[in-house]
Amino acid sequence: MYDYIVVGAGAAGAAAAWRFAQHGAKVLCVDRGSELDRSKYPTTQSNWELLKQTEFSPVASTRGNEADYPVDDSESPIAICNYNAVGGSTILYSGHYPRFLRSDFKLASDEQVGVDWPLEYDELLPYFELNESEMAMSGLPGDPYFPEIEQALPPVPLGKIGERLAEGFNQLSWHWWPSFAAISTRSRGERSHCINLGPCNVGCPQEAKSSVDITYLHKARSYDFQLESNFAVARVLTEDNKAVGVEGYNSEGEIERFLGKNVVLASSAVGTPRILLNSKNDDYPNGLANSSGLVGKNLMIHPLGYVEGVFDEYLETDIGPQGCMLYSLEFYRNEESQHQLGYMMHALRGAGAVEVAKSALSRRKLRFGEDLYNDFSSFYGRQAVIAIICEDLPETKNLVELDPDNCDRFGVPGVKVSYELSDNTKKMMVHGMGRAREVMAAAGAKKSYAHGPVRNTGWHIMGTCKMGSAPNNSVVDAKGKCHDVDGLYVVDSSVFPTSSCVNPANTIQTVALYLADRIHESN
């Protein structure tokens, strides 16, 4: 009998499982994916850009790995991006690692929009510090938007392109700051320091990027902790209004059950509602923890606008972590704009050779024949991107629901995603792309291209099991406990009431650590 069964070995699940085990509990962590061999990550092979589009693609609806379940996101302009493996999406994420800001937790009180979180930023502060230490966060303390950050490893170098973009921001007198990153810029134990290889989004064989398989899960093994990979949870088991375990399928397709005193869901804001809805029974005909009818609703994705600048000179945009360079919160809030809330401007380095060539070809800028190499060279190493990450407000019409017509290989229904951009988001994105083009011009780009929303960018999925104080308008309480079922908890980004406009990974893990302590205190 386990004290805690944690479902999901990704960002949140790994952090929570480690914390439970650290407290002396007997912990089982299960994941439908396998443990990966880092020596076989794509960048150890010459065809890494092909692998990035196939088995290491983040796009759930097209990847089709054995561990995946069907995700129909055809009714969304933004594709769901995640990864099913031990380590979850931290295997493929860029490692950009800001915190949510203090004011993000009080939108309704301070700005009369959205909702307030049922917990305070100051309650999370020691857990931010703990998480940033465990995940080897690099960055530069001193950003006025994050005055509480006092310690970090040295930042990832800006490189030539970062310095050029910074000059553009300076000319406009707009805020910018070197990225906070879950990337170790110093060697730590068996882990190498970052060598600026670049393609962090297909895994880091050097172990410089902090995926949770080499951080929280590695440390959890020192305690009473068991990891069961290749186990696809189909449903949560209940008796007398209490969660008592999970049922699922092993790699051979055989049904197995694990029993525990508490079940903790951490399978992402798509996977967690899928499990709850698939756990319906005679006592819970609409799915577990769903008396409010909100399981799967209030999906937030962070719609992303894209502005690419092309420069006359080679600026080494192919060198260094693609997603960790610099960011700007100049328009995090802007009273003069026509939209509510705001966005982050997130600078990205250029892509790999194949991706650059395909992009140039699609724009009719790549001619075959004697001009091929000159055309290619006019783009490669000369491109940079500013992504406009828009704060997404919770709306019940944006949702994840079961799709019984599309089942995984075990016959368990997949999910269908319905999502549309609000008018507010559209205005925000247009505003942001316009400002990003100003930065590119000020930085000396000869051309810029803009479009949005970008489809394959739905990394930041949140909100489908809302946290709140009342059972009629939320799924879990401020301690992560499901209102309707004893012994059942959610600790991943599903519980987020609002989404901020910054990458959520740091806050996801921080909230998971905080909730793990509250859960353990109550048991």
Side-chain angles (χ1 to χ4, degrees), residues 341-359:
L341 304 178
Y343 54 86
M344 178 175 71
M345 303 173 81
H346 180 194
L348 310 172
R349 300 178 209 267
V354 173
E355 191 172 336
V356 168
K358 289 176 66 177
S359 175

Side-chain angles (χ1 to χ4, degrees), residues 9 14 35-36 38 41 86-87 90-91 93 134-136 182-184 188 190-192 203-221:
E35 295 190 70
L36 302 181
R38 287 182 290 281
Y41 277 174
V86 172
T90 68
I91 300 294
Y93 75 153
E134 293 295 329
M135 292 291 284
I183 294 176
S184 183
R188 291 164 59 92
E190 299 176 355
R191 293 177 57 189
S192 169
C204 179
Q206 288 75 31
E207 301 187 14
K209 187 181 75 172
S210 295
S211 53
V212 294
D213 55 327
I214 61 173
T215 55
Y216 284 117
L217 293 177
H218 177 72
K219 285 194 172 185
R221 296 177 195 270

Side-chain angles (χ1 to χ4, degrees), residues 28-223:
L28 171 68
C29 184
V30 299
D31 197 280
R32 64 184 297 121
S34 60
E35 295 190 70
L36 302 181
D37 182 349
R38 287 182 290 281
S39 69
K40 297 180 180 178
Y41 277 174
T43 49
T44 66
Q45 304 169 58
S46 60
N47 65 337
W48 69 270
E49 288 194 87
L50 176 62
L51 293 171
K52 183 180 179 181
Q53 298 173 23
T54 52
E55 62 189 273
F56 280 85
S57 167
V59 183
S61 59
T62 61
R63 185 174 53 237
N65 288 352
E66 191 173 74
D68 292 326
Y69 52 84
V71 176
D72 180 358
D73 52 22
S74 59
E75 293 189 12
S76 168
I78 303 168
I80 297 297
C81 294
N82 62 17
Y83 198 63
N84 291 313
V86 172
S89 296
T90 68
I91 300 294
L92 301 188
Y93 75 153
S94 69
H96 200 248
Y97 219 60
R99 299 177 181 181
F100 276 21
L101 291 90
R102 180 178 292 273
S103 57
D104 291 330
F105 295 87
K106 293 295 180 185
L107 289 188
S109 296
D110 296 345
E111 305 193 42
Q112 295 73 54
V113 64
V115 296
D116 288 347
W117 287 53
L119 51 85
E120 304 283 343
Y121 177 88
D122 285 334
E123 295 178 81
L124 295 177
L125 185 54
Y127 295 93
F128 273 120
E129 294 168 349
L130 172 62
N131 184 56
E132 289 159 3
S133 174
E134 293 295 329
M135 292 291 284
M137 186 183 79
S138 62
L140 181 65
D143 185 348
Y145 282 94
F146 297 104
E148 293 89 356
I149 296 179
E150 297 179 348
Q151 293 189 1
L153 295 173
V156 171
L158 291 176
K160 289 183 178 180
I161 183 58
E163 292 173 358
R164 180 65 68 86
L165 291 177
E167 291 173 5
F169 279 104
N170 286 342
Q171 284 191 34
L172 297 167
S173 298
W174 289 352
H175 168 268
W176 69 272
W177 204 260
S179 291
F180 292 103
I183 294 176
S184 183
T185 52
R186 294 288 183 268
S187 296
R188 291 164 59 92
E190 299 176 355
R191 293 177 57 189
S192 169
H193 64 279
C194 178
I195 61 172
N196 285 325
L197 184 63
C200 306
N201 296 80
V202 285
C204 179
Q206 288 75 31
E207 301 187 14
K209 187 181 75 172
S210 295
S211 53
V212 294
D213 55 327
I214 61 173
T215 55
Y216 284 117
L217 293 177
H218 177 72
K219 285 194 172 185
R221 296 177 195 270
S222 300
Y223 302 102

